[in-house]
Structures are given as C-alpha cells and as structure tokens.
Amino acid sequence: MSSTWHDYWTDTVYEGGQHVLIKAELDVMPIFVKAGYILPHGTVKPNSAVKETKMTFHVYAELDGSTEYSLYEDDAKTFAYEEDHFAEININCSFSKNLIKIGHNQESSGYTPDWTEYEVVIHHPAPDTEFKLNGQTVKGNRLNVNDTVIIKGTLQHD
C-alpha cells in the first residue's frame, strides 16, 4: 500500500506511488507532508526574544497506524540545557477507522515553556471520527475548508 501525501499549502491529498506534476510558483516552495506525521508550528513573531504564546500541532491523519513527536525547548539563551534545564513535550497519535487518539505528556527539568495554550489541527479525518485527547472524548471544531478539525487545549506545566 502506498502512502498518502498532503500539499502543505493547499492541503490537497495525493496518493503515493505515482508521478504528479505540480505547478510551483517561484515564490512558493512545494512542500508535501506524509500522512501520519505531526508538524509543530509556533506563533508568528518578529524575533526570538518575543515569547511564544501558543503551539499548534498539525496532525496529518491516516486510516490506520500511529505516530509520535517530541518537541524539545530550552531558554535558547544560555547553556542551562547542559544541566537538564529543558522541556520536552511528547505527542502521540493512533489512528483507526473512526477514532483518533491523541496523547501528550511533558518531561521537564528546570525549564518551563512560556506557552500553555495549544491547538491540534487534524487534517482530513473521516466525517464520523471520534477524537480522544488524553483518554477523554473531545469535540473538535470542524472547519468546512479543507476538511480540517481543530481541538484546543491547555498544557499544565509542572
């Protein structure tokens, strides 16, 4: 079975194992994300001195399987990470026909990220999919555009 790929810019879905001719404008690099992957996004800010306010995790759904992602953060200013002053947020997802389970936990030692608000953006889940976040059934906000579901939450820092 070949993989499914998502056009990052348009969210168009392509079946793998074939050649596809994509029109690419000079100012937009063609980027494709494999189904089953998680892609994190921070907020747009003018420079790294501005604190992060929210993280968004884009989950590219697949029919069956699982995936995980670890987001590592430190203060980005000092060498304190050498003394275990960092945070690691672990996100895991499992996909089945009508259920997507999303779990997250935080491992930190001496560093707390600035952000607590997050969104999980699920691309192309089946219309009757149930969503569970850390074992609790949640209702996602289904957008009409690109068949995307957004689940919002708050991360409790230790």
Side-chain angles (χ1 to χ4, degrees):
M1 185 166 122
S2 62
S3 298
T4 303
W5 295 84
H6 297 252
D7 183 313
Y8 177 82
W9 303 109
T10 67
D11 217 20
T12 302
V13 178
Y14 297 94
E15 290 299 319
Q18 63 179 330
H19 292 278
V20 178
L21 183 59
I22 304 295
K23 182 178 180 179
E25 301 296 332
L26 290 177
D27 60 342
V28 179
M29 176 181 276
I31 301 171
F32 297 89
V33 182
K34 188 175 181 180
Y37 277 67
I38 300 170
L39 188 62
H41 284 210
T43 52
V44 176
K45 9 181 225 182
N47 59 56
S48 61
V50 176
K51 293 183 178 187
E52 195 66 62
T53 58
K54 177 178 76 172
M55 288 299 294
T56 302
F57 298 94
H58 288 265
V59 176
Y60 292 86
E62 62 181 351
L63 293 177
D64 193 25
S66 63
T67 190
E68 57 187 40
Y69 179 82
S70 292
L71 176 69
Y72 171 92
E73 283 192 70
D74 59 36
D75 68 11
K77 298 174 193 159
T78 69
F79 291 99
Y81 68 90
E82 292 177 341
E83 296 170 14
D84 293 333
H85 292 269
F86 64 87
E88 188 172 354
I89 313 299
N90 300 302
I91 308 286
N92 57 68
C93 295
S94 66
F95 309 97
S96 59
K97 184 177 179 183
N98 294 351
L99 177 64
I100 296 178
K101 295 180 186 176
I102 304 162
H104 63 74
N105 66 7
Q106 177 180 344
E107 299 173 18
S108 62
S109 175
Y111 176 76
T112 302
D114 294 320
W115 61 273
T116 57
E117 181 185 351
Y118 68 89
E119 289 181 342
V120 179
V121 179
I122 304 170
H123 296 260
H124 297 283
D128 55 350
T129 299
E130 178 184 359
F131 304 99
K132 290 197 175 202
L133 181 61
N134 284 336
Q136 302 292 317
T137 299
V138 293
K139 186 168 179 67
N141 180 18
R142 187 172 286 274
L143 305 178
N144 292 331
V145 181
N146 296 329
D147 195 27
T148 301
V149 171
I150 297 178
I151 298 170
K152 295 185 179 199
T154 303
L155 187 65
Q156 302 299 318
H157 295 305
D158 298 335

